Amino acid sequence: MENLIYLEYAVAGIIRYWLLNSDYKQTIGDRVEISTPLNSWRKVTEGAYLYNEGINPYVGDNFHETPLGLTVFDKMISHIPQWIGIIFIVCDLVTAHVLYHTAQIFMSELVEKDKYAKDTEALLLKQSDLVLPPVYVASAYLFNPYIIFSCVGQTTTVFANLCLAFTFLLMIKGHRLACCSVLALATLQSLYPATLLVPASIYLAQAERTSSLEGRQSLRASSFILTAVTFIAALLLLLYISSELAGGWEFLHATYGFILNVPDLRPNVGLFWYFFTEMFENFRLLFIYAFQINAALLYLVPLTLRLHGEPMLLAASLTALMAVFKSYPSLGDVGFYLALLPMWKHLFNYMQQGFVVGCFFLITSVMGPIVWHLWIYSRSANANFYFGVTLAFATAQIFLVTDILFAYIKREFSLYHGLHREVNGKTTKLVLE
Amino acid sequence: MKAVLNTFACIVLFLHSSFCVTSVPSKDYFDEELLLKPLPSGHIYAYFQFTTVWDVEFEVTSFHHCHLFPRALGEIVGHYNVQELHISLTGGLWRHETWGYPVHDAAPGAELWAWFKESTTSIDKTWKELAGALSGLLCASLNFIDSSNSLSPEFTFRPTGIVSSPAANSSYLRYATLPREIVCTENLTPWKKLLPCDAKKGLSTLLNAGHIHNTNYHSLGLHLRPVCRDVGCSQMSVELRQTVSLVYDMVILGNGNQDWSIKKLFGIGLSGACPLATMSNIYIDTTLNETGAHFQLSPTPPAIITSTRGGYESKFAVYDVKALDIDGMFNIAAFYSSSRVYGVNLPPVLYTNRYIIGYGQERGGIVTKLHNGHWKALDVVYLENIPWFMPLYLHTLKILANGQEIKPLILMDMTLTGQTINSYAYDGMLKELRKHFKPVRPHKNPAEMLLQHDKATHKFEDSGSHHKIWVDGVNPSTLQPQSSTFRSPLVSSRQGCYMQHKVSD
Amino acid sequence: MGVTHSRQLSDLFGLSYSQIILMVADDMACNPRNPRPATVFNNANQHINVYGDDVEVDYRGYEVTVENFVRLLTGRLPPGTPRSKQLLTDEGSNVVVYLTGHGGDGFLKFQDSEEWLLWILLCRYHEMFFMIDTCQAASLYEKFYSPNILAVASSLVGEDSLSHHVDPAIGVYIIDRYTYYALDFLERVEPDSTKTMGEFLAVCPKRVCISTVGVRKDLFRRDPHKVLITDFFGSLRPVELTLSGLNVTALSRTQHQSRRYLSTDSNSMYQKELLKLPAHKPHIIHSDTSSHNADIMALIMHETFSMPLPFDAGIANPLVPC
């Protein structure tokens, strides 16, 4: 199995390398679905250039990386420009590897369960089921066109995904300090991963429970508090370092202010741009609040209440919803959570909308560039066309997430109540009300 | 006794009146000049200059008692603490390559810049209010100017009037352009009202809207500055120059006939000089008479003067309107004896072309070509004002001269101002780009500057309207002569001439 | 075109530009498409240049917005706004508002991205006369409730206002029907005319205007047939000279004419003017050159023949504007 993985890495690396050095690199990197104002490498280069010329890159509207990122990228651009592509490829491979390990640990967790109904043996996971899903996870990450394009386009989403992957790994392993630090780093870059603090806290509390030999059944509150405090401390430290590097706090407006206020309405695969182009100015603040709460907070509490026993699924769902509803999503974000799905391969039988979702993905991925060209270059379409495609894409993703969650619920129900259900002698079907 | 009393009364009255006479307001004088210059390309360049010089200190209290100086403008200038003011409203593009240099260059649209006095506080606020007041004065939408589309260029502008200290502090300078602004009758009307004779007498009667806007290029200008009252410069005066620059296309106007006259150009002859004018002259540039198409002026010019400037010799026929004995309408006509000759114009020392490259609404680039016609290399300071909906990528700046890439040297100063995006898309973030570099080698290949940018036109795409992209003009400047009337610099030869010209796409 | 015609008219009646506020959203005279720059003709044959040599446009281009229009009428302009851009009316002013452009049921189109729904409350006027020449113009005055407003609209709800004729040289329709006939009527009125507003309101019967002209006179306390047209469109009053001082008292409301008295004393000559005012308020106003008796601020607006938005109602053919 290890050989297979390494082979996959090699092939993925070769594909990425080839694309990076081909003529398509600039085309891919320029596409709005791949590059948003937040992760575009062009803007990073521009920011580094301004920084080197002694001009504050945060004044004006062209640069939205954190000062930490600015410093790192500036060093990369000025000292090792020819290696930048390789760095992106290596980061991608590392991310895949981290996800592989995460999946392995997660699958081994799934096997240990108890107290299920008597005829559910068919549903339970066996040892043999543990081998393939991690490979699938790695493959899903390595060979997903969205991720490949995101890497070749040199978007900083590659680094964001790396941080997220490490968060997942450290979360599941139970290393509090490391997990919170990486999570703080991810939050520093794009703010929304802060919601992953909840599943991370749950995991860390579980890890503490299992590591302590007292055998408690409930999770300790102090664990949560400690996790939160660690996270906040790490975040504040990073912000402090950033302000020292930037010489002030005005970078907050250009980074988090930009993410929250959404001033740049360049089209992307998200839902914000169209709404805010069309609405009247005096309603803007209301809708900003509404959309941001939807993106970050709205689903956090209900999902946590339902899925507190399954923090990995909770984390994956939150990641997925973040990728759909955040202010400047890109295909790199979408590809990340798609790569996590094979961890729940056992739920795929219960999914009902797989075909529909698959078709949606395929069609919108093809239609998107077409209507973009019609709109921007041929001038025969308009924003509505592109937004229609984007809306369909978002709908597909939402279908996917709800399908997975529903499949999980159905399987859980079947586990606890048996596979064969009969009411008054007739076979029944599970429906969600 | 009665006679003595009467005499006494007369003497008293006389003294009283003489006191009144001596306590007159400060001396001011008004000159009006018109230059008509046939260009080698067959166009006619007409330039009006109305100069009012008022021997008074540049204080707000001075403007309470105006004589020839327009009070409306004086009150605005005094109230807002303005040291120097330049406004221009232009329609059309000046073709430097074929027409040479105009007397006053102006970018298309509205252009406004002002130097404020050093005692001014909160300059941004004062600037905005000044623009608003001027918009009411000239019926132009200058009130769209505020801090988000104004710049304080450091190198490009220098005060053209007298200053208190040699180092000009550019934080007192504000510059803004509105390239989309039109100029029409409604601007000419209040502009004419600022003249001492309004449009009733003198050369300003020639400014008929229907004729002067029927031109390839028409520009109204207003330039106010403090000048030295005498050679020793112990006292200052206020100088106001109102200018009109026009370029007529004689092929269209002439209907096949290349003869032109004042009546043909302006629709009316001249009935006399403005009585309040000290000087009222018409100059016709007859330099082309020797080299290009020969024309005969009627009536014969009473005087011809020769001017040598920068190595070029020009001949002008001068008509002193005040000295003329005008009966009815005075008209100057030029009759061409030969068939139409299109002269080849030697391009001037520095001229620029600009164009936009790229296609589609996503991204594009701007290329600026600077042509150097001088025999040695020139230093150019380049000022550019880019609107917010064209986010620039400075790292894509590439300057090519003679096929080699040169880096902008010495100083690169980029100021990003403001950031307010409203639904009409002009206010917003602008970038001013200044480079001081030494490129541009003589003739042959122009130096090219390429800058890439994105287009953020989606903000007003969806309202259904079709907006063109208006990019402000660019100011490449090299070194500028100064004097009050057109006549004075006619004989001058100096080593360096600061010259600034405005280009647009 | 209608805008400058009305301005021309007001000019005929002795109104100076300080009393007119002109809002023109599009540049027609100096538009590159105009074969005769700086000119706007009211009629393809008559060749009267209504743009004139002394036109002053106060709000032009993108300054013509709903917000600026409402601020102008309510007087809530930002500080520092020049006087030429302010309405400067008071309780004794008679105001004429002339609106033309594209409109629909209950709205008037401003630029290509805004529309105005007539809900504003106007301050500081004595009597107001609204002339609206758009499609479904009557819908714009239906919601008025302030007193002393007389309104006339070129079409009722559900009807389109039509243009009069086209100038083939330019390729656009020059003038709208209602404006054409209104202009025709006003051009033949002398400053001392005794024609009434009632006659003016009936200036365009259905057979020439094709659309039905609507009138809203219930808010107007006087009978339009007894109101002189010069109350709104002119500012000349009969003047009596006297050398003695006068005791001035308020006139009652029923008096039509107001008197202007000139009185001299040893130091200066000043004018005392009486306005039509509520009976409980005696009012002497020293006039300055800008506020005459019937302070007439003709407020004019024009919209262009631009492409309509998809959601615009009532516009069928962009070349035949409302």
Side-chain angles (χ1 to χ4, degrees):
Chain A
M1 205 38 67
E2 298 293 308
N3 292 339
L4 183 61
I5 288 292
Y6 292 131
L7 182 66
E8 284 189 1
Y9 290 158
V11 173
I14 289 171
I15 294 175
R16 284 165 171 74
Y17 186 75
W18 171 67
L19 274 177
L20 210 63
N21 292 327
S22 72
D23 291 331
Y24 300 114
K25 175 189 166 211
Q26 200 50 47
T27 322
I28 293 172
D30 283 340
R31 287 224 60 90
V32 279
E33 295 94 347
I34 310 282
S35 305
T36 66
L38 281 179
N39 66 13
S40 160
W41 187 251
R42 214 166 185 218
K43 295 216 185 246
V44 169
T45 323
E46 177 72 9
Y49 182 79
L50 293 176
Y51 182 62
N52 286 329
E53 293 289 327
I55 301 166
N56 187 356
Y58 293 108
V59 177
D61 207 22
N62 237 353
F63 183 69
H64 306 288
E65 283 291 327
T66 53
L68 202 59
L70 171 65
T71 320
V72 171
F73 295 138
D74 183 36
K75 294 281 181 295
M76 272 167 59
I77 292 171
S78 37
H79 297 302
I80 40 168
Q82 64 273 31
W83 291 100
I84 290 181
I86 306 290
I87 291 176
F88 276 93
I89 297 175
V90 165
C91 285
D92 238 14
L93 297 178
V94 170
T95 312
H97 195 68
V98 168
L99 286 176
Y100 174 70
H101 275 296
T102 312
Q104 278 185 322
I105 300 173
F106 179 64
M107 298 317 285
S108 63
E109 267 185 20
L110 281 182
V111 182
E112 312 128 14
K113 293 290 179 190
D114 53 353
K115 275 201 277 197
Y116 289 138
K118 35 188 207 305
D119 56 350
T120 55
E121 286 79 19
L123 286 178
L124 290 175
L125 290 170
K126 297 174 272 295
Q127 204 59 29
S128 57
D129 286 332
L130 297 182
V131 178
L132 279 182
V135 178
Y136 289 155
V137 166
S139 315
Y141 190 80
L142 289 169
F143 297 112
N144 189 344
Y146 296 159
I147 300 289
I148 295 178
F149 290 151
S150 185
C151 174
V152 168
Q154 287 183 343
T155 60
T156 57
T157 312
V158 168
F159 304 117
N161 285 351
L162 182 65
C163 292
L164 276 179
F166 267 109
T167 310
F168 275 78
L169 179 67
L170 293 166
M171 180 164 87
I172 207 168
K173 278 195 156 169
H175 301 310
R176 175 174 286 122
L177 187 60
C179 177
C180 288
S181 310
V182 180
L183 186 59
L185 200 60
T187 309
L188 185 76
Q189 189 171 18
S190 46
L191 197 62
Y192 291 98
T195 53
L196 291 178
L197 184 63
V198 175
S201 315
I202 297 175
Y203 252 124
L204 293 168
Q206 277 182 350
E208 214 178 74
R209 177 182 60 178
T210 51
S211 68
S212 82
L213 302 166
E214 292 168 20
R216 281 183 203 235
Q217 290 302 313
S218 62
L219 304 170
R220 284 166 55 181
S222 61
S223 168
F224 288 100
I225 295 170
L226 193 58
T227 312
V229 167
T230 318
F231 171 70
I232 290 171
L235 188 61
L236 285 176
L237 179 66
L238 284 172
L239 282 173
Y240 178 71
I241 295 173
S242 300
S243 80
E244 285 300 307
L245 286 171
W249 292 96
E250 71 260 0
F251 76 93
L252 285 179
H253 177 72
T255 49
Y256 304 124
F258 184 78
I259 294 173
L260 291 173
N261 277 329
V262 196
D264 186 343
L265 296 175
R266 249 178 114 63
N268 47 54
V269 292
L271 304 167
F272 278 63
W273 62 275
Y274 186 77
F275 279 96
F276 288 98
T277 317
E278 294 292 337
M279 74 176 47
F280 295 119
E281 287 301 309
N282 48 346
F283 293 126
R284 195 164 205 277
L285 196 59
L286 168 70
F287 278 94
I288 288 275
Y289 273 102
F291 275 65
Q292 295 291 4
I293 290 174
N294 181 46
L297 299 173
L298 189 65
Y299 305 106
L300 182 60
V301 174
L303 281 176
T304 312
L305 289 175
R306 184 62 186 81
L307 296 174
H308 63 87
E310 280 283 322
M312 186 51 103
L313 187 58
L314 175 64
S317 315
L318 288 174
T319 314
L321 290 171
M322 214 160 65
V324 176
F325 292 118
K326 71 195 259 193
S327 46
Y328 291 100
S330 75
L331 289 181
D333 302 311
V334 175
F336 183 78
Y337 80 80
L338 285 177
L340 293 174
L341 291 180
M343 286 201 267
W344 293 279
K345 186 164 112 25
H346 50 278
L347 295 178
F348 286 179
N349 317 358
Y350 285 90
M351 287 175 67
Q352 288 177 312
Q353 289 156 350
F355 178 67
V356 172
V357 168
C359 285
F360 261 79
F361 267 83
L362 194 60
I363 293 176
T364 52
S365 302
V366 172
M367 282 288 286
I370 294 177
V371 296
W372 176 260
H373 180 85
L374 284 178
W375 173 26
I376 297 292
Y377 292 95
S378 304
R379 305 298 307 251
S380 54
N382 59 34
N384 303 318
F385 290 66
Y386 191 71
F387 182 64
V389 171
T390 308
L391 198 57
F393 187 62
T395 311
Q397 293 177 76
I398 294 170
F399 273 17
L400 179 62
V401 172
T402 52
D403 212 14
I404 287 276
L405 291 174
F406 190 34
Y408 167 75
I409 292 171
K410 277 199 278 197
R411 181 170 176 273
E412 206 185 14
F413 185 84
S414 303
L415 279 177
Y416 283 111
H417 294 96
L419 269 177
H420 303 288
R421 302 162 288 278
E422 281 191 20
V423 175
N424 298 337
K426 295 189 202 134
T427 48
T428 53
K429 206 169 90 158
L430 280 172
V431 244
L432 188 70
E433 276 205 359
Chain B
M1 183 60 179
K2 216 173 183 185
V4 171
L5 275 175
N6 276 343
T7 331
F8 185 70
C10 286
I11 296 170
V12 166
L13 272 172
F14 174 70
L15 285 172
H16 177 71
S17 57
S18 67
F19 274 132
C20 292
V21 161
T22 51
S23 64
V24 292
S26 316
K27 180 164 135 26
D28 53 5
Y29 56 94
F30 170 69
D31 295 326
E32 49 179 26
E33 297 167 287
L34 164 63
L35 164 72
L36 289 167
K37 179 176 173 180
L39 297 168
S41 55
H43 297 85
I44 305 275
Y45 172 39
Y47 173 72
F48 287 82
Q49 183 171 296
F50 302 93
T51 318
T52 309
V53 180
W54 190 15
D55 291 337
V56 80
E57 290 296 313
F58 212 132
E59 296 295 328
V60 65
T61 44
S62 317
F63 295 111
H64 291 327
H65 308 282
C66 293
H67 176 226
L68 294 178
F69 193 89
R71 181 171 178 159
L73 185 64
E75 282 184 357
I76 293 176
V77 161
H79 186 245
Y80 293 112
N81 249 355
V82 172
Q83 170 89 353
E84 198 174 311
L85 178 70
H86 300 268
I87 311 172
S88 73
L89 292 165
T90 312
L93 199 58
W94 182 273
R95 312 273 168 194
H96 294 89
E97 195 176 350
T98 42
W99 297 345
Y101 289 133
V103 179
H104 268 294
D105 207 343
E111 205 178 11
L112 172 64
W113 78 96
W115 289 88
F116 290 92
K117 293 207 172 105
E118 276 163 27
S119 55
T120 318
T121 51
S122 62
I123 294 189
D124 282 331
K125 183 162 161 298
T126 318
W127 168 245
K128 182 161 169 62
E129 287 174 4
L130 172 69
L134 288 171
S135 87
L137 180 68
L138 292 173
C139 290
S141 308
L142 298 174
N143 49 322
F144 282 135
I145 292 175
D146 59 15
S147 58
S148 67
N149 57 7
S150 309
L151 314 166
S152 294
E154 261 179 60
F155 302 106
T156 309
F157 289 94
R158 287 270 167 274
T160 54
I162 52 179
V163 286
S164 49
S165 67
N169 186 352
S170 66
S171 62
Y172 292 102
L173 165 68
R174 289 292 182 274
Y175 170 80
T177 57
L178 294 170
R180 209 168 170 156
E181 200 57 28
I182 53 143
V183 53
C184 202
T185 317
E186 64 261 22
N187 305 113
L188 184 65
T189 309
W191 186 95
K192 282 196 285 193
K193 285 191 183 151
L194 298 174
L195 296 169
C197 279
D198 202 315
K200 313 266 190 317
K201 284 291 225 178
L203 291 179
S204 50
T205 54
L206 299 176
L207 296 172
N208 300 307
H211 288 83
I212 72 166
H213 291 303
N214 196 9
T215 48
N216 282 15
Y217 174 89
H218 46 113
S219 170
L220 301 174
L222 211 92
H223 306 275
L224 177 75
R225 61 178 185 168
V227 291
C228 293
R229 203 177 293 189
D230 46 24
V231 177
C233 209
S234 51
Q235 287 173 301
M236 74 155 95
S237 302
V238 175
E239 179 200 77
L240 171 69
R241 257 191 288 185
Q242 286 180 258
T243 63
V244 181
S245 295
L246 308 165
V247 174
Y248 286 89
D249 190 342
M250 287 320 295
V251 176
I252 299 173
L253 265 191
N255 253 338
N257 194 351
Q258 55 177 328
D259 300 337
W260 53 266
S261 68
I262 288 190
K263 249 195 200 139
K264 205 177 205 175
L265 295 177
F266 304 109
I268 190 174
L270 199 55
S271 63
C274 172
L276 299 168
T278 319
M279 173 171 82
S280 180
N281 285 350
I282 301 181
Y283 310 96
I284 319 259
D285 188 331
T286 54
T287 318
L288 276 188
N289 243 343
E290 282 104 57
T291 54
H294 181 81
F295 61 87
Q296 193 83 26
L297 285 174
S298 148
T300 330
I304 308 250
I305 52 178
T306 313
S307 146
T308 319
R309 213 165 165 210
Y312 288 109
E313 200 182 81
S314 316
K315 275 199 162 56
F316 293 91
V318 182
Y319 293 82
D320 184 355
V321 183
K322 284 183 97 73
L324 289 172
D325 188 17
I326 296 175
D327 184 21
M329 284 298 184
F330 174 67
N331 189 21
I332 301 174
F335 297 102
Y336 286 78
S337 41
S338 59
S339 55
R340 205 182 280 275
V341 173
Y342 289 105
V344 171
N345 189 36
L346 272 180
V349 166
L350 179 68
Y351 65 98
T352 317
N353 286 332
R354 242 156 75 99
Y355 49 91
I356 289 185
I357 58 173
Y359 62 94
Q361 298 296 302
E362 202 175 357
R363 55 184 62 92
I366 305 178
V367 175
T368 313
K369 272 196 180 149
L370 293 134
H371 300 255
N372 178 12
H374 201 45
W375 48 271
K376 61 177 185 176
L378 284 177
D379 287 349
V380 176
V381 175
Y382 179 82
L383 170 67
E384 181 150 7
N385 196 354
I386 304 281
W388 70 271
F389 48 83
M390 291 171 66
L392 276 187
Y393 290 105
L394 266 192
H395 70 275
T396 57
L397 176 66
K398 217 193 283 188
I399 306 181
L400 292 165
N402 314 318
Q404 288 170 329
E405 191 168 332
I406 49 177
K407 262 191 90 50
L409 298 176
I410 301 179
L411 190 65
M412 173 140 170
D413 180 9
M414 176 163 138
T415 338
L416 301 151
T417 59
Q419 220 197 122
T420 338
I421 299 176
N422 71 7
S423 53
Y424 282 112
Y426 296 114
D427 305 13
M429 176 196 71
L430 293 174
K431 290 181 192 150
E432 177 214 336
L433 192 63
R434 281 187 225 100
K435 286 176 292 303
H436 184 199
F437 61 104
K438 230 175 165 34
V440 211
R441 153 240 170 128
H443 7 278
K444 301 232 181 5
N445 307 316
E448 262 185 43
M449 276 172 50
L450 163 66
L451 210 58
Q452 288 179 7
H453 62 89
D454 282 344
K455 289 183 193 169
T457 50
H458 51 266
K459 188 106 177 63
F460 35 87
E461 275 294 324
D462 298 288
S463 58
S465 58
H466 192 86
H467 285 250
K468 297 202 302 231
I469 294 192
W470 293 84
V471 182
D472 298 353
V474 116
N475 279 349
S477 29
T478 42
L479 270 195
Q480 203 172 20
Q482 331 211 352
S483 70
S484 281
T485 57
F486 185 72
R487 190 172 183 147
S488 359
L490 287 183
V491 190
S492 73
S493 53
R494 275 155 53 179
Q495 237 272 332
C497 254
Y498 170 69
M499 168 190 58
Q500 188 187 75
H501 70 266
K502 327 276 168 111
V503 190
S504 171
D505 323 299
Chain C
M1 314 288 170
V3 112
T4 37
H5 300 152
S6 300
R7 182 219 51 77
Q8 177 105 3
L9 278 187
S10 312
D11 203 24
L12 283 176
F13 281 96
L15 288 175
S16 71
Y17 264 104
S18 62
Q19 294 167 301
I20 303 178
I21 292 187
L22 186 55
M23 299 173 97
V24 179
D26 225 10
D27 167 38
M28 289 167 300
C30 289
N31 195 304
R33 283 171 60 185
N34 188 356
R36 280 165 293 198
T39 58
V40 171
F41 296 111
N42 72 324
N43 186 304
N45 300 323
Q46 268 187 33
H47 292 297
I48 299 178
N49 177 17
V50 292
Y51 214 67
D53 253 346
D54 57 348
V55 69
E56 285 181 26
V57 178
D58 303 295
Y59 288 85
R60 68 176 188 182
Y62 284 97
E63 290 181 282
V64 180
T65 60
V66 175
E67 184 188 345
N68 281 348
F69 183 54
V70 173
R71 281 183 183 275
L72 174 72
L73 289 179
T74 52
R76 295 200 189 115
L77 289 160
T81 309
R83 276 178 74 91
S84 60
K85 286 185 162 168
Q86 296 182 36
L87 199 52
L88 298 174
T89 54
D90 54 24
E91 303 79 31
S93 311
N94 286 359
V95 182
V96 175
V97 180
Y98 174 74
L99 305 168
T100 181
H102 285 298
D105 192 354
F107 70 90
L108 179 70
K109 182 176 154 208
F110 272 71
Q111 306 293 349
D112 276 332
S113 56
E114 285 189 318
E115 45 187 49
W116 179 52
L117 310 161
L118 206 84
W119 282 105
I120 52 162
L121 185 65
L122 303 169
C123 315
R124 295 195 293 200
Y125 67 94
H126 176 230
E127 284 174 341
M128 184 167 291
F129 179 50
F130 260 89
M131 283 171 66
I132 311 171
D133 191 354
T134 69
C135 291
Q136 307 193 57
S139 61
L140 288 174
Y141 65 51
E142 271 168 6
K143 303 222 167 66
F144 286 168
Y145 55 87
S146 301
N148 294 340
I149 296 185
L150 179 65
V152 62
S154 59
S155 58
L156 298 177
V157 176
E159 286 181 344
D160 291 343
S161 289
L162 302 172
S163 308
H164 195 256
H165 65 274
V166 68
D167 182 351
I170 312 177
V172 289
Y173 281 80
I174 298 241
I175 188 171
D176 302 329
R177 282 177 182 266
Y178 181 75
T179 306
Y180 180 79
Y181 289 104
L183 187 72
D184 203 36
F185 175 88
L186 290 171
E187 266 183 358
R188 286 194 233 113
V189 172
E190 295 293 316
D192 56 351
S193 156
T194 51
K195 292 205 172 143
T196 64
M197 289 300 284
E199 291 170 38
F200 182 59
L201 292 175
V203 76
C204 199
K206 196 171 165 104
R207 58 180 169 78
V208 285
C209 254
I210 303 179
S211 55
T212 318
V213 170
V215 176
R216 177 104 194 254
K217 51 188 177 187
D218 56 308
L219 295 169
F220 196 61
R221 58 182 166 77
R222 300 194 281 161
D223 178 9
H225 290 282
K226 301 203 178 77
V227 176
L228 287 179
I229 200 161
T230 50
D231 275 1
F232 287 100
F233 286 99
S235 64
L236 300 180
R237 296 280 172 229
V239 172
E240 293 175 26
L241 282 175
T242 167
L243 286 175
S244 55
L246 289 167
N247 236 350
V248 182
T249 54
L251 294 177
S252 67
R253 277 192 186 205
T254 51
Q255 277 190 293
H256 289 294
Q257 290 185 339
S258 56
R259 306 251 159 82
R260 190 201 276 172
Y261 294 90
L262 290 171
S263 101
T264 58
D265 55 22
S266 53
N267 291 330
S268 59
M269 184 140 97
Y270 57 90
Q271 298 168 336
K272 289 184 186 169
E273 293 186 324
L274 289 165
L275 305 180
K276 288 170 274 198
L277 292 168
H280 63 277
K281 249 203 217 170
H283 231 86
I284 312 264
I285 296 175
H286 291 274
S287 79
D288 61 309
T289 49
S290 65
S291 77
H292 287 267
N293 181 2
D295 240 335
I296 298 175
M297 302 291 178
L299 185 73
I300 306 166
M301 232 188 42
H302 188 74
E303 188 44 77
T304 65
F305 311 145
S306 46
M307 289 301 289
L309 291 171
F311 55 80
D312 257 356
I315 300 170
N317 183 351
L319 286 181
V320 184
C322 305

